């Protein structure tokens, strides 16, 4: 069954590519989870995508620092190439992309991505 993955960053991944999806755990106290907060920008809300065909990893800056807005229009911060080890991983799975759409959201001047992908069965032991 296909899954739909919404990303708050651009990830132009061609149809047919195999991706690795890393989802992070929500470690907030239960009370904070029930307050109705939209939790925008939190790392657990958006997965990290690794395109296994190209080796390109797609992330939000929250995945690298635990906080946002490190960049500015003048200097590119030295972002790491992997998500922070401090983020607890909830689930990792592989899937094949069947559709990819990028939309420019004029209200935020952001490029957003929707991927539709078919999860792949787990690899056989020893393979």
């Amino acid at each position: 069954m296909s899954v739909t993955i919404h990303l708050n960053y651009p990830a132009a991944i061609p149809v047919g590519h195999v991706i690795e999806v890393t989802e992070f755990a929500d470690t907030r106290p239960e009370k904070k989870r029930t307050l109705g907060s939209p939790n925008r920008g939190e790392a657990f809300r958006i997965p990290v995508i690794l395109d296994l065909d190209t080796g390109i990893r797609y992330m939000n800056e929250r995945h690298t620092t635990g906080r946002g807005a490190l960049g500015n229009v003048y200097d590119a911060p030295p972002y790491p190439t992997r998500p922070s080890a401090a983020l607890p991983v909830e689930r990792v799975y592989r899937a094949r992309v069947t559709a990819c759409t990028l939309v420019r959201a004029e209200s935020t001047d952001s490029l957003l991505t929707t991927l539709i992908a078919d999860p792949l069965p787990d690899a056989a032991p020893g393979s």
Side-chain angles (χ1 to χ4, degrees):
M1 174 176 230
S2 294
V3 295
T4 301
I5 304 165
H6 299 285
L7 306 172
N8 63 357
Y9 54 84
I13 301 173
V15 168
H17 280 214
V18 175
I19 58 173
E20 182 178 87
V21 181
T22 302
E23 298 173 344
F24 299 95
D26 180 357
T27 58
R28 297 171 305 144
E30 191 62 36
K31 184 177 181 181
K32 290 203 174 199
R33 294 183 198 186
T34 59
L35 292 177
S37 166
N39 308 312
R40 291 186 186 106
E42 297 293 338
F44 69 85
R45 302 261 309 166
I46 306 297
V48 167
I49 305 294
L50 173 60
D51 182 337
L52 295 170
D53 291 294
T54 64
I56 298 173
R57 189 179 320 271
Y58 299 90
M59 303 186 290
N60 179 292
E61 80 181 326
R62 294 273 182 157
H63 294 123
T64 64
T65 64
R67 60 191 192 285
L70 287 185
N72 62 46
V73 295
Y74 304 109
D75 299 310
Y79 288 116
T81 60
R82 296 182 178 275
S84 170
L87 291 173
V89 173
E90 184 167 295
R91 178 170 80 134
V92 177
Y93 65 94
R94 291 183 177 192
R96 185 172 310 279
V97 175
T98 60
C100 177
T101 302
L102 275 71
V103 175
R104 181 175 173 270
E106 291 186 25
S107 60
T108 61
D109 200 28
S110 297
L111 219 90
L112 310 175
T113 305
T114 298
L115 295 171
I116 299 176
D118 291 334
L120 299 174
D122 292 337
S127 64

